[in-house]
Amino acid sequence: MPIKLGPNAYGKNAVNLSRIIRHAGHHEFRQVSVSVQLTGDFDAAHTLGDNSLILPTDTQKNTVYALAKEHFTGTIEAFGLVLARHFVSRNAQVSKARIEILEHLWQRMSFEGQAHPHAFTGGGSEKRRAVVELHADGTTTVWAGIKGLMLLKTTDSGFAGYPKDEYTVLPETTDRILATECEAEWEYTAADLNFEELYQQVHLSLLRTFSTHKSLSVQHTLYAIGEKILEETDEVKEISLIMPNKHHIPFNLEPFGQANTNEVFVATDAPFGYITGTVVRG
Amino acid sequence: MPIKLGPNAYGKNAVNLSRIIRHAGHHEFRQVSVSVQLTGDFDAAHTLGDNSLILPTDTQKNTVYALAKEHFTGTIEAFGLVLARHFVSRNAQVSKARIEILEHLWQRMSFEGQAHPHAFTGGGSEKRRAVVELHADGTTTVWAGIKGLMLLKTTDSGFAGYPKDEYTVLPETTDRILATECEAEWEYTAADLNFEELYQQVHLSLLRTFSTHKSLSVQHTLYAIGEKILEETDEVKEISLIMPNKHHIPFNLEPFGQANTNEVFVATDAPFGYITGTVVRG
Amino acid sequence: MPIKLGPNAYGKNAVNLSRIIRHAGHHEFRQVSVSVQLTGDFDAAHTLGDNSLILPTDTQKNTVYALAKEHFTGTIEAFGLVLARHFVSRNAQVSKARIEILEHLWQRMSFEGQAHPHAFTGGGSEKRRAVVELHADGTTTVWAGIKGLMLLKTTDSGFAGYPKDEYTVLPETTDRILATECEAEWEYTAADLNFEELYQQVHLSLLRTFSTHKSLSVQHTLYAIGEKILEETDEVKEISLIMPNKHHIPFNLEPFGQANTNEVFVATDAPFGYITGTVVRG
Amino acid sequence: MPIKLGPNAYGKNAVNLSRIIRHAGHHEFRQVSVSVQLTGDFDAAHTLGDNSLILPTDTQKNTVYALAKEHFTGTIEAFGLVLARHFVSRNAQVSKARIEILEHLWQRMSFEGQAHPHAFTGGGSEKRRAVVELHADGTTTVWAGIKGLMLLKTTDSGFAGYPKDEYTVLPETTDRILATECEAEWEYTAADLNFEELYQQVHLSLLRTFSTHKSLSVQHTLYAIGEKILEETDEVKEISLIMPNKHHIPFNLEPFGQANTNEVFVATDAPFGYITGTVVRG
């Protein structure tokens, strides 16, 4: 059988862009990491070293900065659409452009209830993410997402009724800590929506369901979150959730003559349960 | 439209296992991180909180350690197959088990050409990886892979002949540093092969092609590596390569009255070119 | 000259402890990483392998969890003092115990202005830190600190008037982004203070000075912050600040026919300016 | 009491420099991260915002690259001395320059015993480090060091005979895994030594002692390593070692009806024992 090129793509990743948006009397500050990925007619580059259809990743990077001045003034979804349209419309060899933008969230400082005009704190693990895919035929898909959202509740979570075998050691429990570093990604039904408002709505719904759900397992909470978001937000076509179980394990105090009544825990990084699921309409 | 559960899976990740294999006169030492992922009939857990078909991830972890004593004595591919078969054969609700094993590579110390019987150095970024997928119907797929392999050559690499537009700044070059943190994953044609010998053969081929290829682009080298491996090793069905371009950019010494004749570089982490491709038979 | 043991110490690091403090109607949740370091009469362990004075680090770890139930109900400074006193009072061979506690900060969720009783978000890079040192003679020192506090202002920062030499390229500026990942550590004048109130006072002062100072350099802002804290808080004996300069560099848009009027920046991780200073009374 | 500036310093960190050294027929490749730290008369910058004595960290960075072409052709110790002398001799306000250089180690590829002229693999956690301090009065100190050296032995290590108290759980053992991520730093007796040869000698001695020592504790091995290096190498004035205990804990297989005869272990990251000591002449 002959050997040939299969699926392939390339682009510039981690284009770290920050942006001051200057208003009268106050500034906005935005910081993002942009990744561009192009799919298209790149066979000759691979097989012959012919670069005549390879738009350099350095040029892609410059384009991100150059277009940021005029076009990065609103949501990352909107900026992603501008970038995708630029690369597809200018490069006939590109069959699909995928733009991923991860936004670092800065909070405006506030003193005595007064918002500061130009000072911010940052550094949270939670990021906002947008992914835009544009095909040469005009087909456009927009996903929004959240990464690194640390969630924890100290009760209303249990895990019991599971199958036992000769390797079972875990005790059943009706009251445990539930903690996760949540990642969510949802697909929108269209590319011309109010992405800011929708994001805030989904984000709030996620937090609210996590906090109020009587959780019988991570899976149970994951589905409840997804179901509620689909119920509340028609513009969300489907949502995928990743909810690793960040275990907090009761420390055994019995050898020291103490009862550990769910108060003292070992927080562990590894191993960890890894729970993923997509909730769809169907 | 009703709301329902779509694709989902769960399991225990990052089960960090180390193993001494005791021979007369010397020890082997192996260290791996195992991840188990199960797919199956888990709807009731999500929608009803019914855990009767959810094998706890804690039990999965115990199983990895318990089976390690008898079964982790050879390749990670072989151990992955044992684990996958265990989970599929014991759990009727599981339609697919996916086992991923990442191996940390330790080197035996040696003094005056004498291999030490039980002392090792470690800590390389390069890892060996195996992925096994077993379906309930017996279908089995084995992938082997390399992660974190840092490769660099100081010449025999160029990039020229690419399209220019108004955002082009990059100068063409016929002599640059080519550096990458290579990730490779290849699918085997069968599940009963000599995984050790094949791994060493693919690994050597990858290094050799990287070092000797007259590279006209990262894509060009990526394809050359994949093509050579498929030519040499019939047991490899296809191979995917990820070769981020770890840029080393000539530092501009002209303001200081020096010519930089390709000697002094800035090593950058971000942004980086991200080049991916699969080479297939067909 | 004979060879002998010089300064040495040991202990358990990264004891990851989480704690639910149960109140009627709501829970507090705290998560810390505790490190114990003991100094003392450990010569025989080093030179002879005699462990009779080496309290195992595993025992140190157990002690942290065992004492947490009764004693970790308030500030990390107070818990650190309890731990230090335990190790010094129980182990005659220990001349000094140093306890470092790093606290991960969780925020209680709130919906429609209503604080949730047991759900939290976390994941910020900002940590609170306490260090306690207790000598066998009873001498006690307490430091409090902040780590990972990301601060940024979009104006009121400049850098000019510096010396030039043949390697100078940097343009002078009176308007730049000032960003830092601030680390602060201050020594208290006593060990029986209201550590919670003092911490909040120092933290607020730091943010306020950063936001309002007309900065002529990172050094200038660093000193202003330290000076203000010493002025306002008599219980702070001295304060050390580390303020790496997280550069946001204007991207050169001129090749693309645009003026970059301080709007579009490259956010870089390396290299970075590293500015440190201690402000003292004296 | 008046408030004033105490100890302070500043400089550029993480100047990532790579260097091709071109020989007839083959290339050397070196990659380092350089950090410059200056101490001196910087009070006015802090208290008044007067930058007239603040050599910009951007200029420091440029200087590193500019001097690399001529002067970074041998050891990192030698390059550090060149940089320190440059900053002290050119800047009267600088009372001390401290240069730290961390070297990433690349290995030349080799095929059939034939060294390749320009292809390398890298990525090890082990780094070589040099620190040079030069005072304005000419006093010079040079330290060399190793960071990130992962060492492990599967036997010849025990831990017993330690004190017990009510928090003791750890069983005594005469046969355990000893693993550490070793950091070593030694001070040389002079600044004009053969730094390459001495480094290799110390490095080999460290590995050899680790591998052959009958270890009764981490402390016992730490001291043995330091003592041997001081015995063998007169040019080493003293050596500090950091040897965190990377625990590999036997997994309890008894619940599953198996005996774990020191074969199957859990590799843990946290918590970890942290053992430090300096071995001196005196």
Side-chain angles (χ1 to χ4, degrees):
Chain A
M1 262 189 312
I3 292 165
K4 65 178 187 184
L5 185 64
N8 66 93
Y10 82 102
K12 196 67 133 195
N13 276 16
V15 178
N16 294 320
L17 159 68
S18 52
R19 176 83 169 85
I20 301 177
I21 304 172
R22 298 172 175 273
H23 302 280
H26 76 283
H27 292 168
E28 280 179 78
F29 180 73
R30 309 284 299 278
Q31 188 175 355
V32 295
S33 178
V34 180
S35 294
V36 177
Q37 190 193 52
L38 306 180
T39 308
D41 180 11
F42 308 134
D43 279 48
H46 283 84
T47 58
L48 301 173
D50 173 354
N51 295 321
S52 60
L53 297 180
I54 299 294
L55 185 74
T57 65
D58 188 72
T59 304
Q60 296 174 25
K61 174 203 69 177
N62 294 337
T63 304
V64 170
Y65 288 108
L67 296 186
K69 183 165 177 181
E70 185 177 344
H71 298 288
F72 181 32
T73 56
T75 63
I76 52 177
E77 288 85 359
F79 185 43
L81 284 164
V82 168
L83 292 171
R85 285 168 187 148
H86 174 91
F87 290 115
V88 169
S89 68
R90 298 294 199 81
N91 296 278
Q93 76 278 24
V94 170
S95 57
K96 185 177 77 173
R98 181 183 190 275
I99 309 294
E100 176 182 338
I101 306 181
L102 201 64
E103 179 161 9
H104 304 271
L105 304 171
W106 290 87
Q107 287 76 43
R108 188 176 296 279
M109 286 188 202
S110 176
F111 300 98
E112 283 100 45
Q114 195 79 24
H116 193 282
H118 60 256
F120 303 84
T121 57
S125 64
E126 184 186 347
K127 312 291 178 203
R128 176 171 169 175
R129 190 164 81 141
V131 176
V132 171
E133 282 190 8
L134 175 61
H135 288 78
D137 69 3
T139 311
T140 311
T141 315
V142 178
W143 293 264
I146 303 168
K147 286 195 71 159
L149 173 59
M150 302 293 290
L151 300 172
L152 183 145
K153 54 198 261 189
T154 53
T155 188
D156 281 352
S157 163
F159 187 54
Y162 44 77
K164 280 83 183 171
D165 68 14
E166 71 266 44
Y167 301 122
T168 305
V169 168
L170 187 76
E172 297 186 288
T173 176
T174 57
D175 190 12
R176 62 170 186 175
I177 290 176
L178 178 60
T180 188
E181 181 178 344
C182 185
E183 181 172 337
E185 187 164 65
W186 55 94
E187 184 182 335
Y188 284 120
T189 53
D192 58 351
L193 302 170
N194 185 333
F195 295 117
E196 182 61 28
E197 192 177 287
L198 289 165
Y199 182 87
Q200 299 305 338
Q201 184 173 317
V202 170
H203 189 276
L204 177 61
S205 179
L206 195 164
L207 291 187
R208 194 188 297 270
T209 303
F210 177 85
S211 71
T212 57
H213 186 247
K214 305 296 181 193
S215 173
L216 298 174
S217 69
V218 178
Q219 284 89 339
H220 191 218
T221 297
L222 182 154
Y223 185 78
I225 289 171
E227 184 182 40
K228 189 71 173 174
I229 288 169
L230 292 192
E231 282 171 4
E232 289 179 350
T233 310
D234 291 341
E235 294 87 347
V236 173
K237 186 174 163 191
E238 63 175 51
I239 182 165
S240 295
L241 291 148
I242 301 175
M243 294 179 67
N245 196 343
K246 309 283 277 186
H247 305 294
H248 294 251
I249 300 167
F251 190 83
N252 182 12
L253 296 174
E254 280 178 28
F256 318 129
Q258 298 183 48
N260 185 358
T261 49
N262 250 352
E263 293 176 287
V264 176
F265 303 84
V266 185
T268 62
D269 281 329
F272 60 93
Y274 189 74
I275 321 298
T276 64
T278 299
V279 185
V280 302
R281 303 180 191 278
Chain B
M1 261 190 311
I3 292 165
K4 63 178 188 184
L5 184 63
N8 67 93
Y10 82 102
K12 195 67 130 194
N13 277 16
V15 179
N16 294 319
L17 159 68
S18 51
R19 176 84 169 86
I20 301 177
I21 304 172
R22 297 171 176 273
H23 301 280
H26 76 284
H27 292 168
E28 280 180 78
F29 181 74
R30 310 284 299 278
Q31 187 175 357
V32 295
S33 178
V34 180
S35 294
V36 176
Q37 191 193 51
L38 305 181
T39 308
D41 180 12
F42 308 134
D43 279 49
H46 283 84
T47 59
L48 302 174
D50 173 353
N51 296 321
S52 58
L53 298 181
I54 299 295
L55 185 75
T57 64
D58 189 72
T59 304
Q60 297 174 26
K61 175 203 70 179
N62 294 338
T63 304
V64 170
Y65 289 108
L67 296 187
K69 184 164 175 181
E70 184 177 344
H71 298 288
F72 181 31
T73 54
T75 64
I76 52 177
E77 289 83 0
F79 186 43
L81 284 163
V82 168
L83 292 171
R85 285 168 188 150
H86 174 93
F87 290 116
V88 168
S89 67
R90 298 292 200 84
N91 295 278
Q93 76 277 24
V94 170
S95 57
K96 185 177 75 173
R98 182 184 189 274
I99 308 294
E100 176 182 338
I101 305 181
L102 201 65
E103 179 161 10
H104 303 273
L105 304 171
W106 291 86
Q107 288 76 42
R108 188 176 296 279
M109 287 189 202
S110 174
F111 301 98
E112 282 101 46
Q114 194 81 22
H116 193 282
H118 59 256
F120 303 85
T121 57
S125 63
E126 183 186 347
K127 312 291 178 204
R128 176 170 169 176
R129 189 165 81 142
V131 176
V132 171
E133 282 190 10
L134 174 62
H135 289 76
D137 69 3
T139 312
T140 310
T141 316
V142 178
W143 292 265
I146 302 168
K147 286 195 71 159
L149 173 60
M150 302 293 290
L151 300 172
L152 184 145
K153 54 200 260 190
T154 54
T155 190
D156 281 352
S157 163
F159 186 55
Y162 45 77
K164 279 84 183 171
D165 68 14
E166 71 266 44
Y167 302 120
T168 306
V169 168
L170 186 76
E172 298 186 288
T173 176
T174 57
D175 190 12
R176 63 171 185 174
I177 289 176
L178 178 60
T180 188
E181 181 178 343
C182 186
E183 180 172 336
E185 187 165 65
W186 56 95
E187 184 182 335
Y188 284 119
T189 52
D192 56 352
L193 303 171
N194 185 333
F195 294 118
E196 182 61 28
E197 190 177 288
L198 288 166
Y199 182 87
Q200 299 304 339
Q201 184 173 318
V202 170
H203 191 275
L204 176 62
S205 179
L206 195 164
L207 291 187
R208 193 188 298 268
T209 303
F210 178 84
S211 72
T212 56
H213 186 246
K214 305 296 181 194
S215 173
L216 298 174
S217 69
V218 178
Q219 284 89 341
H220 191 218
T221 298
L222 182 154
Y223 184 78
I225 289 171
E227 185 182 38
K228 190 72 173 173
I229 289 168
L230 293 193
E231 284 171 4
E232 290 178 349
T233 310
D234 292 341
E235 294 87 347
V236 174
K237 185 174 164 191
E238 63 176 50
I239 181 165
S240 295
L241 291 148
I242 301 176
M243 294 179 66
N245 196 341
K246 309 282 279 185
H247 306 294
H248 294 250
I249 301 166
F251 190 83
N252 182 11
L253 296 174
E254 280 179 28
F256 319 128
Q258 299 183 46
N260 185 356
T261 48
N262 250 353
E263 292 176 287
V264 176
F265 303 84
V266 185
T268 61
D269 280 329
F272 59 94
Y274 189 74
I275 321 300
T276 65
T278 300
V279 185
V280 301
R281 304 180 190 276
Chain C
M1 261 190 310
I3 292 166
K4 64 178 188 184
L5 183 64
N8 66 93
Y10 82 102
K12 195 68 132 194
N13 276 16
V15 178
N16 293 320
L17 159 69
S18 52
R19 177 83 169 85
I20 300 177
I21 304 173
R22 297 171 175 273
H23 302 280
H26 77 282
H27 293 169
E28 282 179 77
F29 181 73
R30 310 283 299 279
Q31 188 176 357
V32 294
S33 177
V34 179
S35 295
V36 176
Q37 190 193 53
L38 306 180
T39 308
D41 180 12
F42 308 134
D43 279 50
H46 284 84
T47 58
L48 302 174
D50 172 352
N51 295 321
S52 58
L53 298 181
I54 298 294
L55 186 74
T57 64
D58 188 71
T59 305
Q60 297 173 26
K61 175 204 70 179
N62 294 338
T63 305
V64 170
Y65 288 107
L67 297 186
K69 183 163 176 181
E70 184 176 345
H71 298 288
F72 181 32
T73 55
T75 63
I76 52 177
E77 289 84 359
F79 186 43
L81 284 164
V82 168
L83 291 172
R85 284 169 188 148
H86 175 92
F87 290 115
V88 169
S89 67
R90 297 294 199 83
N91 296 277
Q93 76 277 24
V94 170
S95 58
K96 185 177 77 173
R98 182 184 188 275
I99 308 294
E100 176 182 338
I101 306 181
L102 201 65
E103 180 160 9
H104 303 272
L105 304 171
W106 290 86
Q107 288 76 43
R108 188 176 296 279
M109 287 189 200
S110 175
F111 300 97
E112 283 99 47
Q114 194 81 21
H116 194 283
H118 59 256
F120 302 85
T121 57
S125 63
E126 185 186 345
K127 311 292 178 202
R128 176 170 170 178
R129 190 164 81 141
V131 177
V132 171
E133 282 190 9
L134 173 62
H135 288 78
D137 68 3
T139 312
T140 311
T141 315
V142 178
W143 292 264
I146 302 167
K147 287 196 70 159
L149 173 58
M150 302 293 290
L151 300 172
L152 184 145
K153 54 200 262 189
T154 54
T155 189
D156 282 352
S157 164
F159 186 54
Y162 45 77
K164 280 83 184 170
D165 69 13
E166 72 266 44
Y167 301 121
T168 306
V169 168
L170 187 77
E172 297 186 290
T173 176
T174 57
D175 191 12
R176 63 170 185 174
I177 290 175
L178 179 59
T180 189
E181 181 178 344
C182 186
E183 180 172 338
E185 186 165 64
W186 56 94
E187 184 182 335
Y188 284 120
T189 53
D192 57 352
L193 303 171
N194 185 332
F195 294 119
E196 182 61 28
E197 191 176 289
L198 288 166
Y199 182 87
Q200 299 304 339
Q201 184 173 316
V202 170
H203 190 276
L204 177 61
S205 178
L206 193 165
L207 290 187
R208 194 189 297 270
T209 303
F210 177 84
S211 72
T212 56
H213 186 246
K214 305 296 181 192
S215 173
L216 298 174
S217 68
V218 177
Q219 284 89 340
H220 191 219
T221 298
L222 182 154
Y223 185 78
I225 289 171
E227 184 183 39
K228 190 71 172 174
I229 289 168
L230 292 193
E231 283 171 4
E232 288 178 351
T233 310
D234 291 341
E235 293 86 348
V236 173
K237 185 174 163 190
E238 64 175 51
I239 181 165
S240 294
L241 290 148
I242 301 176
M243 293 179 67
N245 197 343
K246 308 283 278 185
H247 306 294
H248 295 250
I249 301 166
F251 190 83
N252 182 11
L253 295 174
E254 279 179 30
F256 319 128
Q258 298 183 47
N260 185 357
T261 49
N262 249 352
E263 292 176 288
V264 176
F265 303 84
V266 185
T268 61
D269 281 329
F272 59 93
Y274 189 75
I275 321 299
T276 65
T278 300
V279 185
V280 301
R281 304 179 190 277
Chain D
M1 264 192 310
I3 292 165
K4 64 176 189 185
L5 183 63
N8 66 93
Y10 82 102
K12 196 67 131 195
N13 278 16
V15 178
N16 294 320
L17 159 67
S18 52
R19 176 85 169 85
I20 300 177
I21 304 172
R22 298 172 175 273
H23 302 280
H26 75 283
H27 292 168
E28 280 179 78
F29 181 73
R30 309 285 299 277
Q31 187 175 357
V32 295
S33 177
V34 179
S35 295
V36 176
Q37 190 193 52
L38 305 181
T39 308
D41 180 12
F42 308 134
D43 279 49
H46 283 85
T47 59
L48 302 173
D50 173 353
N51 295 322
S52 59
L53 297 180
I54 299 294
L55 185 75
T57 64
D58 188 73
T59 305
Q60 297 173 25
K61 175 204 70 179
N62 294 338
T63 304
V64 170
Y65 289 108
L67 296 186
K69 182 164 176 181
E70 185 176 344
H71 297 289
F72 181 31
T73 55
T75 64
I76 53 177
E77 289 83 359
F79 186 43
L81 285 163
V82 168
L83 291 171
R85 284 168 188 149
H86 175 91
F87 290 116
V88 168
S89 67
R90 297 293 200 84
N91 296 278
Q93 77 277 23
V94 170
S95 58
K96 185 177 77 174
R98 181 184 189 276
I99 308 294
E100 177 182 338
I101 306 180
L102 202 64
E103 179 159 11
H104 304 271
L105 303 171
W106 290 86
Q107 287 76 42
R108 188 176 296 279
M109 286 188 203
S110 176
F111 300 97
E112 283 100 48
Q114 194 80 22
H116 193 281
H118 60 256
F120 303 84
T121 57
S125 63
E126 184 185 346
K127 312 290 178 202
R128 176 170 169 177
R129 190 164 81 142
V131 176
V132 170
E133 282 191 8
L134 174 62
H135 288 77
D137 68 4
T139 311
T140 311
T141 315
V142 178
W143 292 264
I146 302 168
K147 286 195 72 159
L149 173 59
M150 302 293 290
L151 299 173
L152 184 144
K153 53 199 260 187
T154 54
T155 189
D156 281 351
S157 163
F159 187 54
Y162 45 77
K164 279 83 183 172
D165 69 13
E166 71 266 44
Y167 301 121
T168 305
V169 168
L170 186 76
E172 297 186 289
T173 176
T174 56
D175 191 12
R176 61 171 186 176
I177 290 177
L178 178 60
T180 189
E181 181 178 343
C182 186
E183 180 172 338
E185 187 165 65
W186 55 95
E187 184 182 335
Y188 284 120
T189 53
D192 57 351
L193 302 172
N194 185 334
F195 294 118
E196 182 61 28
E197 191 177 289
L198 288 166
Y199 182 86
Q200 299 305 339
Q201 184 173 317
V202 170
H203 190 276
L204 176 61
S205 178
L206 196 165
L207 291 187
R208 193 188 297 268
T209 303
F210 177 84
S211 71
T212 56
H213 186 247
K214 305 296 181 192
S215 174
L216 298 175
S217 70
V218 178
Q219 285 89 340
H220 191 217
T221 298
L222 182 154
Y223 184 78
I225 290 171
E227 184 182 40
K228 189 71 173 175
I229 289 168
L230 292 193
E231 282 171 5
E232 290 179 349
T233 311
D234 292 341
E235 294 87 348
V236 174
K237 186 174 163 190
E238 63 175 51
I239 182 164
S240 295
L241 291 149
I242 301 176
M243 294 179 65
N245 197 342
K246 310 283 277 185
H247 306 294
H248 293 251
I249 300 167
F251 190 82
N252 182 11
L253 295 175
E254 280 179 27
F256 317 130
Q258 298 183 47
N260 185 356
T261 48
N262 250 351
E263 293 176 287
V264 176
F265 303 84
V266 185
T268 63
D269 281 330
F272 59 92
Y274 189 73
I275 321 299
T276 65
T278 300
V279 185
V280 302
R281 303 180 191 276

